[in-house]
Amino acid sequence: MELLYGTTNPGKLDAMSRALAPLGLTLVGLRGLGLPIPVVEEEGNTILENAEQKARAYYKAFGRPVFSCDSGLYFDELPEAEQPGLHVRRVNGRSLTDAEAQEYYGAMARRHGGRLTARFRNAIFLTVDGDTCFSSADESLASPPFWLVEKPHPRHVEGFPLDAMSVDPATGRYHYDMGETLADSAETYRGFQAFFQNILPVLRERL
């Protein structure tokens, strides 16, 4: 069963595809359509609102079931006013490249002794036909807590700059040195798998 994932990020498409393959879902990204991709201004006040804005815009453009996700980054040590939240990659009005994101968050970790306790909160919005929609921003979608450290790992996967800076608190080892990434970890995607498992009957009926 093929489903459109509203992303142009190859790393995100690959990670989600592998997570949902056991459910019999095959994902295609926006670039895989070979069509003009609309620019969506993410103006929501929450990650769920941003996910909804993207999914509805892509459904309007392509006329097929589509889901989009959005994430927010939060640190245990920072007050609410200093949280990146929705603006993980957007700083001072511009979107950071992977290298700039690593430099920016490395400096932030440096100011707090070399590491911060972090987690990604995630949201998903899927529209089947414009009226039939499913969404969640449940805590089950959040990443496991990790340390974001000052010095990046030498390995780099395009689209996931902070994976290179993520360290497992239990072992003190980079996720890359453990043979996985934060985006690949089973715990990260367990909530997404449960989300799709619950709506599979509707998808099978409509797709």
Side-chain angles (χ1 to χ4, degrees), residues 94-105:
R94 59 182 297 269
S95 184
L96 302 180
T97 65
D98 283 5
E100 289 170 339
Q102 289 183 345
E103 181 179 351
Y104 177 80
Y105 285 104

Side-chain angles (χ1 to χ4, degrees), residues 142-166:
S143 75
F146 62 98
W147 286 340
L148 188 140
V149 298
E150 175 183 353
K151 183 179 178 181
H153 191 277
R155 181 184 173 192
H156 173 234
V157 176
E158 183 181 356
F160 289 96
L162 302 192
D163 269 1
M165 305 172 72
S166 69

Side-chain angles (χ1 to χ4, degrees), residues 15 74 91 99 122 131 184 191:
Y74 299 87
V91 176
N122 300 304
D131 294 321
D184 284 335

Side-chain angles (χ1 to χ4, degrees), residues 5-137:
Y5 180 11
T7 185
T8 58
N9 186 315
K12 291 181 179 180
L13 176 61
D14 181 64
M16 188 70 80
S17 293
R18 284 184 279 111
L20 299 184
L23 301 181
L25 292 173
T26 300
L27 303 185
V28 59
L30 296 175
R31 289 176 177 167
L33 297 177
L35 297 170
I37 301 170
V39 175
V40 182
E41 298 295 337
E42 299 176 31
E43 300 174 337
N45 294 315
T46 67
I47 53 177
L48 185 55
E49 288 180 4
N50 280 345
E52 179 177 357
Q53 288 177 4
K54 290 184 286 187
R56 289 193 182 278
Y58 298 140
Y59 179 82
K60 181 179 180 181
F62 304 119
R64 57 185 290 180
V66 56
F67 74 93
S68 291
C69 300
D70 199 52
S71 300
L73 178 62
Y74 299 87
F75 297 110
D76 289 358
E77 295 86 351
L78 299 186
E80 187 64 30
E82 297 179 26
Q83 296 289 353
L86 298 173
H87 308 293
V88 180
R89 296 283 291 253
R90 192 161 187 81
V91 176
N92 296 325
R94 59 182 297 269
S95 184
L96 302 180
T97 65
D98 283 5
E100 289 170 339
Q102 289 183 345
E103 181 179 351
Y104 177 80
Y105 285 104
M108 184 181 291
R110 191 179 310 120
R111 292 194 296 271
H112 292 270
R115 75 185 190 203
L116 288 162
T117 306
R119 72 197 70 230
F120 283 102
R121 296 175 187 164
N122 300 304
I124 183 170
F125 190 95
L126 182 150
T127 178
V128 178
D129 57 15
D131 294 321
T132 304
C133 303
F134 301 91
S135 65
S136 177

